[in-house]
Amino acid sequence: MAEILQKDGTWVFDGDALRLTPGRDKGVGLLRRELGELVVPLGALAGISFEQGKRSGRLRLRLRDGADPLLHATGGRLTEPHDPYQLIVESDRYGVAEYFVDEVRDALTLDQVPAGPVDAYLLPGPSVPLSCSAGDGTASFDGDQVRLEWNWKTEDAKASAGARTIRVEDIVGVEWHPAAGLENGHLRFRVRHAPTKAPPKYDPNAVELWGFKKDPLMALVAAAVQARLPHPAAAAGEPVRPAPRPSGPEPDVPAAGPDHDALLRRLRELGELHRAGVLTDDEFTMAKQAVLRRM
């Protein structure tokens, strides 16, 4: 098992899944705190990286396309403090972060996890019921239907029709855009047989967002609904093909000799990190036991 504990959060990898728990530091975004702990199966990962900086570094997970309804609903628009797949690492834990990356990459290689897209969600999305108030309204979702209610700031043309209830089976798509610069954002539900080009300000199936603190929470509503819609690959009617393998003969399982030598090198590296003070006694013992189990 590999584990890294930081003010920003705690990541644990047990060989089969990563458990991502947000920290309580004031820099942790509201969306991450509300989303809570995430369990990401190894098969949902496309890769992991670690970027070093002068004062702090950053661990990043890259998920396979179509694996997570939150990423699909937000389209990669989550800003840094709200992205659950990033972790800020303090400089005195760079060695632990690098070890964590090696463990995950080794597992991806050993399990031969492809990096290509998937045709079904591998994460469940946010739990329901949930509700969020931001911009010109409140969006609530109970798993079966979305309810949109308006506030005193809503345009009369939209508010005059009253609260809006939309069944999941009538929804064909979800859009979430954060406010950026002088442009407002929105949460919009595309409803079957009701296409519209109206801006969110006037669209009765959309909540307009103005860049306030609770705007990111609307992404949770979007993701919870997205998780209950047909997967994009299935909706397109096209089978998802696995990522192509390198040309040449089918790779064999690595022989015991080279793999054994690699594990011995890992043990020596861990010993050096421990002696240098990068790894604590507990971290060194945990890491060493993980290597010995694989030997």
Side-chain angles (χ1 to χ4, degrees):
M1 185 176 73
E3 182 179 43
I4 181 165
L5 293 81
Q6 295 291 280
K7 294 179 182 178
D8 195 40
T10 300
W11 286 11
V12 179
F13 177 57
D14 64 6
D16 297 315
L18 290 98
R19 190 175 298 273
L20 315 179
T21 307
R24 298 182 179 180
D25 187 70
K26 62 181 180 180
V28 177
L30 184 60
L31 183 146
R32 285 179 60 198
R33 295 201 298 268
E34 290 294 323
L35 184 60
E37 186 176 83
L38 274 178
V39 178
V40 183
L42 184 65
L45 284 185
I48 182 172
S49 63
F50 175 58
E51 305 161 5
Q52 293 189 16
K54 291 182 178 180
R55 296 184 178 181
S56 64
R58 191 175 305 277
L59 277 171
R60 296 179 189 268
L61 292 181
R62 184 166 57 89
L63 270 63
R64 298 170 64 187
D65 288 344
D68 181 18
L70 174 63
L71 292 183
H72 183 80
T74 57
R77 303 181 189 94
L78 286 176
T79 54
E80 179 182 302
H82 303 291
D83 187 347
Y85 301 115
Q86 296 187 34
L87 182 73
I88 297 175
V89 179
E90 297 169 8
S91 57
D92 63 347
R93 282 292 175 264
Y94 282 1
V96 180
E98 290 172 347
Y99 168 72
F100 193 94
V101 168
D102 286 344
E103 288 295 295
V104 175
R105 285 178 176 170
D106 287 350
L108 288 171
T109 301
L110 289 172
D111 285 16
Q112 297 185 351
V113 177
V118 298
D119 56 5
Y121 292 123
L122 301 181
L123 282 86
S127 59
V128 295
L130 55 84
S131 180
C132 176
S133 297
D136 67 352
T138 298
S140 305
F141 181 54
D142 62 5
D144 295 315
Q145 60 185 22
V146 173
R147 183 171 177 81
L148 303 178
E149 300 174 87
W150 314 115
N151 56 39
W152 64 275
K153 294 169 284 188
T154 309
E155 282 291 323
D156 292 342
K158 184 162 69 172
S160 60
R164 179 92 164 137
T165 299
I166 314 170
R167 300 181 304 170
V168 168
E169 52 264 36
D170 294 329
I171 297 174
V172 296
V174 186
E175 300 172 5
W176 178 84
H177 287 261
L182 298 178
E183 295 186 6
N184 293 337
H186 66 265
L187 168 64
R188 189 199 302 268
F189 299 96
R190 292 190 285 111
V191 179
R192 195 184 315 277
H193 307 309
T196 180
K197 294 183 178 180
K201 186 176 184 177
Y202 302 107
D203 185 356
N205 297 319
V207 177
E208 188 178 36
L209 304 175
W210 301 321
F212 295 154
K213 181 179 179 181
K214 291 188 177 181
D215 281 12
L217 295 184
M218 285 291 185
L220 297 181
V221 180
V225 174
Q226 185 67 54
R228 288 159 176 80
L229 298 181
H231 190 274
E238 298 179 358
V240 174
R241 296 177 176 83
R245 292 183 177 275
S247 59
E250 190 74 15
D252 295 325
V253 176
D259 188 59
H260 187 268
D261 291 342
L263 294 173
L264 288 176
R265 286 196 299 272
R266 175 63 60 80
L267 284 175
R268 287 195 292 270
E269 291 170 359
L270 291 174
E272 292 171 359
L273 291 172
H274 182 231
R275 286 190 294 274
V278 174
L279 294 175
T280 65
D281 291 343
D282 290 342
E283 290 168 341
F284 172 66
T285 300
M286 184 184 305
K288 183 175 69 173
Q289 289 175 349
V291 174
L292 291 176
R293 282 197 299 271
R294 294 173 65 181
M295 292 179 69

